[in-house]
């Protein structure tokens, strides 16, 4: 098939690679000048295959009301006049019900573990470089209730193939000595040995180059989609911002990150993928920085070493399509470094913010749309890096009409679709 992928973030590029290696002729259009300049640029770097608890869970629900009034809270969900945000927010609250959160955990763990396998295959095949570390992820806790909840979740996930080891304070320090001087009241941790870390930007850029060189994928940068047109119940052509029309493809894949729902709405499809803004800082790594990727569970912040740089990321706020950096959201990241790794100097600081394409239940949206030649790979929220390799393989199976290796339950577009 001749396939056009819209978007060269990690989901667009892994999709292009998965399709091209099966012999499809793939063109990727991207509005920026190179791959991975938006959400796949400076994220937390965690390949957290075992982290399957969605943001929408019963534990978050009571905190939401407290966080609503706190500008530096980990998640700020506010009342909004934007009808898309209102719908997303209501669905998010509904998905905090225990039975739903449990179901979504299962879906996300299945996709996470599948992605781990597919990522290993991809790295083996392509040898792409991305400052890959396979030292697991250590979640640290200062709150007994939160720690108990996380251990119950880990027990539940263990029944589904997850693997997490509970560590006391000394065990956390032994695993990651850089934590020893922390001023946090660290009571214990959970180490997930199956998890890994790496630089999403390097990975996506290098995989794009590999796909172009070895599988003939064509990348058209500085090429922005303006509108998707349909005729006779299928996509007829793409209209670019330049005024050019693109047609002649057998199938189209929408992987435009947080902008995906904008283009679906042009086709009468209302899907609750909404931009959830996140922030990161990067600075030079020293011996006082961790080797094992660390998550501060209470602050919802992650600390990952990426080659010679250290990345700290987190926070979720709703600001529509405004991706500007607000200092009030950067300050907690800097405070987090001083709390967890007080001896780490913050030198050559880079600040970044971006919009995660988030669904209100947690799992992404992968596969068919109601239009037979339009497919989607988007809505991965906080776990797009983790789930990219698996999602791309699922998409390729769906497009080829071959059975998927894991069920698509909980990942399809219909689960949240309204057609107008
Ligand atoms: C602060 C932060 C920390 C994170 N940490 C982690 C982590 O540790 N682990 C993890 O698994 N995930 C993490 N994530 C989430 C992960 O980064 C995202 O889920 C993932 O990058 C989304 O990839 P994407 O390809 O869907 O979107 P994007 O990377 O945004 O790619 C979409 C692409 O589509 C292009 N595009 C959009 N509109 C058009 C158009 N009209 N025409 C042409 N091109 C268009 C964009 O330019 C962009 O390049 C984090 C996110 C943030 C913000």
């Amino acid at each position: 098939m001749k396939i056009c992928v819209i978007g060269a973030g990690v989901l667009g590029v892994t999709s292009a690679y998965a399709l091209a290696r099966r012999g499809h002729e793939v063109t990727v259009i991207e509005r920026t000048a190179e791959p991975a300049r938006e959400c796949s640029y400076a994220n937390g770097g965690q390949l957290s295959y075992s982290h399957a608890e969605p943001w929408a869970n019963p534990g978050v629900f009571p905190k939401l009301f407290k966080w609503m009034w706190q500008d530096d809270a980990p998640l700020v969900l506010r009342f909004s006049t934007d009808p898309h945000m209102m719908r997303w927010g209501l669905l998010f609250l509904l998905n905090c019900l225990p039975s739903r959160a449990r179901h979504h955990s299962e879906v996300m763990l299945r996709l996470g573990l599948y992605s781990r396998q597919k990522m290993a295959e991809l790295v083996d095949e392509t040898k792409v470089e991305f400052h890959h570390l396979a030292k697991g992820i250590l979640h640290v806790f200062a709150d007994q209730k939160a720690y108990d909840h996380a251990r119950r979740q880990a027990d539940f996930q263990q029944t589904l193939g997850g693997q997490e080891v509970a560590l006391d304070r000394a065990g956390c320090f032994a695993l990651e000595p850089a934590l020893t001087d922390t001023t946090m009241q660290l009571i214990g941790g959970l180490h997930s040995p199956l998890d890994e870390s790496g630089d999403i930007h390097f990975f996506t850029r290098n995989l794009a180059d590999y796909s172009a060189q070895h599988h003939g994928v064509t990348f058209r940068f500085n090429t922005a989609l303006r509108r998707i047109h349909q005729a006779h119940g299928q996509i007829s052509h793409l209209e670019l911002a330049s005024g050019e029309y693109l047609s002649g493809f057998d199938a189209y894949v929408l992987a435009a990150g947080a902008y995906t729902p904008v283009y679906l709405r042009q086709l009468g499809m209302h899907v609750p993928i909404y931009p959830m803004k996140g922030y990161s800082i990067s600075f030079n790594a020293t011996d006082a920085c961790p080797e094992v990727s660390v998550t501060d569970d209470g602050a919802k912040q992650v600390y990952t070493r990426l080659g010679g740089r250290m990345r700290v990321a987190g926070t979720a706020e709703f600001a529509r399509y405004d991706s500007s950096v607000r200092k009030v959201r950067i300050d907690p990241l800097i405070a987090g470094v001083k709390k967890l790794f007080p001896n780490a100097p913050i030198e050559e600081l880079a600040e970044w913010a971006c919009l995660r394409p988030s669904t209100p239940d947690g799992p992404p949206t992968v596969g068919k749309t109601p239009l037979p030649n339009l497919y989607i790979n988007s809505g991965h929220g906080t776990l797009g890096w983790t789930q990219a390799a698996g999602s791309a393989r699922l998409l390729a199976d769906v497009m080829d009409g071959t059975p998927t290796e894991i069920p698509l339950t909980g990942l399809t577009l219909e689960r949240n679709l309204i057609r107008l």
Side-chain angles (χ1 to χ4, degrees):
M1 281 197 286
K2 273 184 82 174
I3 298 171
C4 179
V5 176
I6 301 155
V10 75
L11 271 309
V13 171
T14 48
S15 300
Y17 164 73
L19 290 162
R21 71 188 271 283
R22 294 183 179 198
H24 296 296
E25 190 183 326
V26 181
T27 299
V28 180
I29 64 163
E30 166 56 49
R31 68 176 167 197
T32 67
E34 55 176 37
R37 291 304 301 194
E38 295 214 3
C39 203
S40 308
Y41 183 66
N43 79 355
Q46 290 190 333
L47 291 161
S48 36
Y49 305 118
S50 325
H51 183 76
E53 189 169 39
W55 270 90
N57 70 68
V60 160
F61 187 76
K63 293 185 193 148
L64 284 177
F65 297 94
K66 189 178 91 187
W67 285 345
M68 208 173 262
W69 318 111
Q70 210 183 308
D71 213 20
D72 60 353
L75 171 67
V76 185
L77 188 67
R78 293 210 171 98
F79 296 112
S80 163
T81 51
D82 177 3
H84 306 296
M85 169 65 218
M86 281 198 291
R87 180 177 171 223
W88 192 100
L90 287 173
L91 288 170
F92 181 90
L93 295 178
L94 198 65
N95 283 306
C96 287
L97 286 170
S99 58
R100 288 189 177 226
R102 208 175 160 85
H103 169 64
H104 299 136
S105 283
E106 279 181 46
V107 173
M108 286 163 71
L109 185 65
R110 188 159 56 223
L111 179 59
L113 296 176
Y114 179 64
S115 293
R116 182 173 189 269
Q117 263 177 40
K118 298 300 137 189
M119 184 65 156
E121 288 174 23
L122 184 156
V123 172
D124 196 42
E125 274 166 19
T126 63
K127 311 280 182 282
V128 286
E129 296 284 339
F130 60 104
H131 298 313
H132 187 196
L133 285 178
K135 292 176 179 269
I137 294 177
L138 174 64
H139 288 248
V140 291
F141 298 82
D143 176 70
Q144 191 63 48
K145 227 168 120 191
Y147 189 34
D148 294 343
H149 169 80
R151 277 184 298 177
R152 280 196 300 277
Q153 173 77 12
D155 289 344
F156 163 61
Q157 290 188 189
Q158 191 138 9
T159 63
L160 303 167
Q163 236 188 69
E164 283 177 271
V165 183
L167 299 172
D168 60 10
R169 185 180 161 90
C172 292
F173 295 166
L175 181 73
E176 182 41 76
L179 276 169
T180 312
D181 292 321
T182 181
T183 59
M184 174 189 188
Q185 298 304 311
L186 195 159
I187 55 167
L190 277 175
H191 180 233
S192 31
L194 298 180
D195 292 349
E196 301 170 3
S197 58
D199 189 319
I200 186 173
H201 175 229
F202 280 11
F203 172 88
T204 309
R205 205 186 56 192
N206 291 341
L207 184 64
D209 286 349
Y210 180 93
S211 305
Q213 281 164 23
H214 295 267
H215 296 291
V217 174
T218 304
F219 284 89
R220 286 190 57 177
F221 295 111
N222 301 308
T223 304
L225 170 73
R226 179 187 291 154
R227 197 172 184 87
I228 305 181
H229 291 268
Q230 60 175 321
H232 313 296
Q234 58 175 0
I235 305 302
S236 52
H237 61 280
L238 304 182
E239 180 184 337
L240 303 181
S242 61
E244 184 192 342
Y245 284 176
L246 268 190
S247 60
F249 294 98
D250 301 303
Y252 299 82
V253 176
L254 195 46
Y259 298 85
T260 299
V262 175
Y263 299 102
L264 286 175
R265 282 203 289 275
Q266 296 174 346
L267 301 164
M269 296 178 219
H270 291 254
V271 176
I273 294 175
Y274 201 79
M276 190 200 264
K277 189 171 172 180
Y279 289 78
S280 76
I281 56 171
S282 307
F283 52 92
N284 290 339
T286 62
D287 290 346
C289 295
E291 290 277 344
V292 175
S293 181
V294 174
T295 299
D296 175 350
D297 183 82
K300 306 264 178 262
Q301 287 174 11
V302 307
Y303 301 78
T304 304
R305 186 187 279 259
L306 299 166
R309 298 281 278 171
M310 191 63 207
R311 174 77 42 77
V312 183
T315 90
E317 68 173 335
F318 293 89
R320 297 195 180 193
Y321 283 91
D322 170 7
S323 58
S324 59
V325 173
R326 290 203 306 138
K327 197 171 164 353
V328 69
R329 309 291 291 173
I330 290 287
D331 288 346
L333 300 176
I334 295 178
V337 179
K338 293 187 175 150
K339 182 180 70 171
L340 256 71
F341 308 103
N343 303 322
I346 299 180
E347 281 167 7
E348 294 196 34
L349 178 70
E351 301 172 351
W352 179 78
C354 210
L355 307 172
R356 304 176 183 97
S358 299
T359 61
D361 48 5
T365 303
V366 183
K368 292 182 178 175
T369 74
L371 299 179
N373 62 345
L374 178 66
Y375 296 82
I376 182 170
N377 195 1
S378 192
H380 295 71
T382 53
L383 290 172
W385 175 213
T386 303
Q387 298 169 341
S391 300
R393 287 291 277 271
L394 290 177
L395 176 84
D397 282 335
V398 171
M399 292 182 74
D400 276 345
T402 51
T404 53
E405 291 175 292
I406 60 166
L408 287 169
T409 319
L411 298 170
T412 57
L413 184 77
E414 297 99 73
R415 74 185 194 275
N416 285 322
L417 175 69
I418 296 181
R419 283 195 86 180
L420 295 175

